[in-house]
């Protein structure tokens, strides 16, 4: 579609952040319906579009060659067809998950989760149109893992029963998010994580990377930034992914709701640990009170 539009001198990509957003689709529909007036086409842009109307009109002044209009129509119809099939798959997934929820509720006596208050996340453009968040909460008997910072609404390949992993450490080790420490003669030669991480481990790492991209948020953002300053972004990503895996294990196995630490409380805890390290060093070096000099501004 982008190629066909550019060949008729229509540069929607220059004035719209997302060509296949609401404004882009309305303009393409109008073009395929026969509209050629750039002012009328520009008026279809949503009010949230930041580009000025004059610039949009210039981008919609085209060389209307019928062969490229035909190509655009073919591509656009295929685009809509694919999305129709994706929606049909989503509905089939909803049927299967609903049947599984009913089976688990009858077997385990789980309470219905429709009355459990969940914090709805803003849906992204290409996310499933079915309410995955509500279905996931119902499957877990009221546990909503999507409230964790950076965690989306995907379904993991392990299922919901993580009781095979007796501890959260075993779960993190299976994900290969733990250091693989190799020693020779008492000296640590390597402590990198093992290679060959599965798809769930990569999902946690993607979530951790999303946390690292945030400028502010809950304590997980501060945790990521602290590890990144001390080591590197790659190490911070793995460390945060491990922390996310531990949180998810405790939520699904122990049925503990996610209670994030207040950032100020977390930073104060870090400060207290640093003070204890300084005090321990002072005791080790047997430093006297008179030997300590505090720098003043």
């Amino acid at each position: 579609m982008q190629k066909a539009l550019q060949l008729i001198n229509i540069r929607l990509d220059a004035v719209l952040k997302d060509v296949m957003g609401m404004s882009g689709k309305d303009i393409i529909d109008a073009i395929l319906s026969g509209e050629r007036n750039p002012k009328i086409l520009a008026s279809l842009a949503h009010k949230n579009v930041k580009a000025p109307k004059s610039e949009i009109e210039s981008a919609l002044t085209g060389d209307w060659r019928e062969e490229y209009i035909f190509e655009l129509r073919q591509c656009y119809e295929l685009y809509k067809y694919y999305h129709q099939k994706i929606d049909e798959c989503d509905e089939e997934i909803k049927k299967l998950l609903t049947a599984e929820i009913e089976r688990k509720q009858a077997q385990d006596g789980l309470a219905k989760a429709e009355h459990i208050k969940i914090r709805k996340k803003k849906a992204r453009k290409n996310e499933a149109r079915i309410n995955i968040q509500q279905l996931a909460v119902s499957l877990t008997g009221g546990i909503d893992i999507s409230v964790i910072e950076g965690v989306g609404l995907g379904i993991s390949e392990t299922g919901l029963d993580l009781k095979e992993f007796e501890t959260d450490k075993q779960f993190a080790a299976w994900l290969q998010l733990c250091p693989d420490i190799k020693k020779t003669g008492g000296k640590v030669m390597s402590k990198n994580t093992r290679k060959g991480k599965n798809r769930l481990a990569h999902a946690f790492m993607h979530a951790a990377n999303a946390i690292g991209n945030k400028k502010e948020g809950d304590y997980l953002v501060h945790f990521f930034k602290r590890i990144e300053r001390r080591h590197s972004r790659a190490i911070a990503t793995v460390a945060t992914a491990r922390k996310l895996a531990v949180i998810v294990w405790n939520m699904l196995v122990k049925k503990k709701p996610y209670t994030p630490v207040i950032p100020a409380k977390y930073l104060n805890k870090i400060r207290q640990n640093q003070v204890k390290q300084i005090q321990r060093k002072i005791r080790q070096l047997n430093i006297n009170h008179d030997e300590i000099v505090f720098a003043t501004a």
Side-chain angles (χ1 to χ4, degrees), residues 73-90:
R73 187 186 306 277
Q74 293 288 95
C75 294
Y76 188 48
E77 288 176 356
L78 284 173
Y79 173 86
K80 293 193 291 184
Y81 177 76
Y82 287 138
H83 276 267
Q84 176 190 342
K85 293 302 176 184
I86 291 172
D87 291 341
E88 290 175 6
C89 288
D90 289 341

Side-chain angles (χ1 to χ4, degrees), residues 16-34:
L16 298 180
K17 186 177 180 181
D18 182 10
V19 174
M20 297 315 298
M22 183 170 62
S23 299
K25 287 181 180 179
D26 288 344
I27 292 171
I28 291 175
D29 281 327
I31 291 173
L32 295 178
S33 298

Side-chain angles (χ1 to χ4, degrees), residues 73-120:
R73 187 186 306 277
Q74 293 288 95
C75 294
Y76 188 48
E77 288 176 356
L78 284 173
Y79 173 86
K80 293 193 291 184
Y81 177 76
Y82 287 138
H83 276 267
Q84 176 190 342
K85 293 302 176 184
I86 291 172
D87 291 341
E88 290 175 6
C89 288
D90 289 341
E91 288 298 324
E92 187 65 21
I93 290 171
K94 181 180 179 180
K95 290 179 183 178
L96 294 171
L97 291 179
T98 302
E100 178 63 16
I101 290 168
E102 293 174 354
R103 186 192 68 80
K104 286 179 69 70
Q105 288 175 346
Q107 178 181 329
D108 304 332
L110 295 177
K112 290 186 178 181
E114 285 79 1
H115 304 296
I116 298 174
K117 294 184 69 175
I118 59 175
R119 190 182 70 181
K120 289 187 178 180

Side-chain angles (χ1 to χ4, degrees), residues 7 17 28 31-32 56 81 93 114 128 140 146 151 154 167 180 190-191 194 200 235 252 266 270 289 295:
L7 287 171
K17 186 177 180 181
I28 291 175
I31 291 173
L32 295 178
I56 299 175
Y81 177 76
I93 290 171
E114 285 79 1
T140 56
S146 66
V151 175
T167 63
D180 183 21
S190 172
K191 53 182 180 180
R194 294 179 180 177
L200 181 56
I235 293 175
L252 294 178
Y266 173 75
I270 298 299
H289 182 270

Side-chain angles (χ1 to χ4, degrees), residues 59-78:
L60 294 174
T61 303
D63 178 18
W64 308 104
R65 297 175 61 177
E66 289 302 321
E67 61 268 30
Y68 296 131
I69 297 292
F70 174 78
E71 182 182 354
L72 176 63
R73 187 186 306 277
Q74 293 288 95
C75 294
Y76 188 48
E77 288 176 356
L78 284 173

